[in-house]
Amino acid sequence: DLPATLASLAASAAGLEEPFEAIVAVNGPEEPAPAVAGAEAFAHGAGLPLVPPGAAPPACGSCVRILRLPLRSKTAAWNAIRDAARAPVIVFADADVRVAPAALPLLVRRLARSPELAIAAGREEPLLTSADGLVARVAALPHRFDFGNVPGRLYALRSAALPEPMPASVLHEDAYLSVRLGRERFAKEPGAVVRLRPPTTWSDYLRQRVRNEVGKLQLVREFPELHHAHGFGVYPWRRFVREIAPREYPLVILALAARAYARVHALWRIRRGIDNGWRVLASTKRWPVAG
């Protein structure tokens, strides 16, 4: 469903009233890659020039650019996009989200009026449907709380804020940006809404939780000076508890149990050697068909 994601980004970028590049990093060995077909379909439908891998982008005007990477790594894709982008502000987004029409203008303008910031991040909002069950409601619950980190599904970054490439071993790229830049250099823009689909199967949900815990443990072990310098990992638990309704207590219990399982499994994974691969969570890609 990549064309729908790109369409929502382009509609939001139109509010900036200036040319933009939609850069799609297609990572993985599959040939032909479905994401390439999705980017091509969007470019054709939007009437935008399509710049294939290796070709030079146009000197001016909006376009869609495709980058092709053999490694299935989100960090490699992030570095490739950052290196290819020519604008002073780069908006990073996941390939399976929908952004609100006002999202990109709000993020870019927040950076314009706040020179001390390196990142302006959107507000993640899970989309639940009547067909979604217990798993989706458990997975959606944490998005109500501010854990003081950069939400990775949509954010605007000053291209000069991180002069060096992100380390290739990083699994949790948004958490790395949080500890690398520090709390005082990023802010959330509440009106810049990005909608996401939470996992709807236990296997996808637990895989997501394990991946998050492995990424957090990796940061603590490989970048301890960054992690401790900004006080990450310390949360206002009392305030969180006050914001939870009694009817949601079963969801909280299941979420905490999943976190405990994920932390144990993550420790086991780290002892065996961290896997730098990136596995797709299939149920998060299933968006309801517009009626």
Side-chain angles (χ1 to χ4, degrees):
D1 206 22
L2 179 59
T5 298
L6 291 171
S8 74
L9 287 165
S12 186
L16 294 168
E17 299 181 343
E18 57 183 296
F20 64 88
E21 294 178 327
I23 304 177
V24 183
V26 181
N27 53 349
E30 294 84 5
E31 289 291 358
V36 171
E40 291 173 344
F42 163 73
H44 177 74
L48 293 174
L50 179 70
V51 182
C60 60
S62 298
C63 67
V64 179
R65 297 172 60 189
I66 296 176
L67 308 179
R68 197 70 176 91
L69 293 79
L71 180 65
R72 187 179 288 108
S73 163
K74 193 171 183 181
T75 301
W78 191 97
N79 282 329
I81 291 172
R82 206 283 300 271
D83 290 344
R86 299 176 292 172
V89 172
I90 311 169
V91 177
F92 286 89
D94 278 0
D96 55 356
V97 299
R98 306 288 185 271
V99 304
L104 269 64
L106 284 172
L107 294 178
V108 173
R109 290 165 188 164
R110 177 64 183 273
L111 289 182
R113 70 173 185 268
S114 303
E116 74 281 3
L117 295 179
I119 288 178
R123 176 170 61 86
E124 297 182 345
E125 186 178 285
L127 173 66
L128 295 173
T129 71
S130 58
D132 292 328
L134 179 63
V135 179
R137 290 189 291 127
V138 173
L141 182 65
H143 290 282
R144 283 177 33 197
F145 309 105
D146 183 2
F147 291 94
N149 60 301
V150 175
R153 289 178 174 87
L154 180 72
Y155 57 89
L157 169 75
R158 295 188 198 277
S159 58
L162 197 70
E164 76 280 0
M166 188 177 294
S169 62
V170 167
L171 294 177
H172 213 324
E173 87 292 343
D174 45 348
Y176 174 80
L177 290 172
S178 300
V179 301
R180 170 66 176 78
L181 297 172
R183 292 180 188 270
E184 69 281 359
R185 297 196 66 196
F186 67 81
K188 296 180 182 178
E189 188 64 36
V193 175
V194 53
R195 308 202 79 183
L196 61 106
R197 285 287 287 151
T200 58
T201 67
W202 284 114
S203 60
D204 274 359
Y205 175 54
L206 292 175
R207 189 177 298 123
Q208 182 187 73
R209 295 305 312 153
V210 170
R211 186 168 70 194
N212 288 345
E213 291 299 321
V214 170
K216 289 188 291 185
L217 288 172
Q218 178 199 38
L219 290 177
V220 173
R221 294 183 177 213
E222 295 188 14
F223 310 97
E225 69 288 350
L226 298 179
H227 193 274
H228 296 306
H230 305 295
F232 285 98
V234 179
Y235 308 122
W237 293 114
R238 291 184 180 181
R239 178 167 61 83
F240 290 169
V241 170
R242 290 195 298 267
E243 295 175 2
I244 299 172
R247 68 178 182 277
E248 296 176 314
Y249 289 168
L251 301 181
V252 174
I253 292 172
L254 287 171
L256 292 175
R259 185 179 185 275
Y261 164 85
R263 176 56 64 96
V264 171
H265 196 78
L267 289 169
W268 175 75
R269 286 270 304 275
I270 286 177
R271 283 198 297 268
R272 294 184 62 213
I274 296 175
D275 178 10
N276 288 329
W278 191 261
R279 296 181 62 185
V280 172
L281 305 179
S283 66
T284 65
K285 318 301 181 201
R286 298 176 189 142
W287 281 78
V289 178

